């Protein structure tokens, strides 16, 4: 449903984060950044990224531990570890923990982009089977089912599609036009009003199971799926 692949860049150096965000955005990617291990884990566990570029030496929680926690929770997002350590044991440790690649600093941006694109191709094969998590709300894309605290939430196919798009961009605003294109495609009868109506339907059903605060309106911009934990990392 997304045109632009979504990439999480995790590095504790502000200059590196800015350069990678600018460069990867220029390569047609939707880039989110995090500066420490706990923040990276909090937003990466949503499952809403197509690839993760993860530095190993991070404050709070190392890249190794972030990766280990993600794989233990069943998050299969492809991960490219980045480190100044070029030892074989370091690389083997990362791959054993479930990394999909290992890049040694300093690296060529051209090589980095090639590695990230390889991860995106690999992830596209399994992407439709990924689970998206927003707190206790889980969107099972393979089964096309939604649950809240383990209890099923009954949604229509269109309501599911709206939630799927919003959850796949967790913490980022999705415009009405983007939702319209992703959910209704080329249906000529569909309008922005249809988006508002179905977001309203979805909200009522989520509210009934205690998840009403997850889908929000960002006045003048569109809609946002988030939680308090994600807000703390990415901003309200």
């Amino acid at each position: 449903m997304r045109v632009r692949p979504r990439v999480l860049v995790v590095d504790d150096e502000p200059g590196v984060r800015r350069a990678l965000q600018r460069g990867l955005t220029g390569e047609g990617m939707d880039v989110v950044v995090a500066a420490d291990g706990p923040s990276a884990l909090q937003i990466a566990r949503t499952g809403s990224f197509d690839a993760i570029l993860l530095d190993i030496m991070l404050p709070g929680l190392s890249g190794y531990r972030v990766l280990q926690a993600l794989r233990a929770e069943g998050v299969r997002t492809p991960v490219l570890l980045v480190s100044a350590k070029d030892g074989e044991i370091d690389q083997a440790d990362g791959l054993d923990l479930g990394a999909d690649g290992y890049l040694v600093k300093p690296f060529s941006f051209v090589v980095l982009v090639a590695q990230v694109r390889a991860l995106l191709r690999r992830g596209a094969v399994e992407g439709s089977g990924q689970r998206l998590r927003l707190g206790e709300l889980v969107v099972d894309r393979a089964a096309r089912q939604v649950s809240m605290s383990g209890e099923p939430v009954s949604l229509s196919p269109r309501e599911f599609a709206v939630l799927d798009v919003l959850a796949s961009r967790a913490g980022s605003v999705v415009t009405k036009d983007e939702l319209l294109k992703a959910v209704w495609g080329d249906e000529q009868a569909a309008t922005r009003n249809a988006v508002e109506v179905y977001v309203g339907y979805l909200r009522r059903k989520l509210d009934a199971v205690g998840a009403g605060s997850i889908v929000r309106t960002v006045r003048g911009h569109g809609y946002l799926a988030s939680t308090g934990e994600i807000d703390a990392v990415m901003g309200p």
Side-chain angles (χ1 to χ4, degrees), residues 8-27:
L8 174 62
V9 171
V10 189
D11 197 292
D12 64 334
E13 296 181 38
V16 173
R17 289 198 305 277
R18 284 193 297 269
L20 291 178
Q21 184 171 36
R22 185 168 55 248
L24 293 176
T25 298
E27 292 292 327

Side-chain angles (χ1 to χ4, degrees), residues 61-126:
L61 202 64
S62 74
Y64 284 141
R65 300 288 77 81
V66 171
L67 174 59
Q68 187 177 39
L70 290 175
R71 295 302 186 242
E73 293 178 18
V75 179
R76 301 192 302 271
T77 308
V79 172
L80 176 63
L81 287 176
V82 179
S83 175
K85 298 180 178 180
D86 61 357
E88 292 181 356
I89 294 178
D90 297 306
Q91 297 186 41
D93 285 345
L95 296 173
D96 284 344
L97 287 172
D100 299 87
Y102 191 104
L103 192 60
V104 178
K105 292 181 177 181
F107 50 78
S108 156
F109 182 71
V110 173
V111 172
L112 171 68
V113 171
Q115 293 257 28
V116 172
R117 292 201 184 284
L119 258 62
L120 293 172
R121 288 193 295 271
R122 190 178 311 168
V125 177
E126 297 183 354

Side-chain angles (χ1 to χ4, degrees), residues 156-175:
S156 72
R158 195 82 77 176
E159 291 162 355
F160 177 90
V162 170
L163 179 59
D164 183 41
V165 173
L166 293 175
S168 73
R169 293 271 300 275
S172 297
V173 176
V174 180
T175 69

Side-chain angles (χ1 to χ4, degrees), residues 14 20 33 58 61 64-65 105 120 135 142 153-154 195 201 211 231 235-236:
L20 291 178
V33 297
L58 295 170
L61 202 64
Y64 284 141
R65 300 288 77 81
K105 292 181 177 181
L120 293 172
V153 180
S154 179
V195 174
Y201 291 159
D231 290 343

Side-chain angles (χ1 to χ4, degrees), residues 181-204:
K181 182 177 181 181
V183 177
W184 281 266
D186 297 326
E187 293 182 28
Q188 295 183 357
T191 64
R192 288 186 176 186
N193 184 59
V195 174
E196 295 175 7
V197 169
Y198 274 89
V199 169
Y201 291 159
L202 173 62
R203 273 190 176 136
R204 284 193 286 275

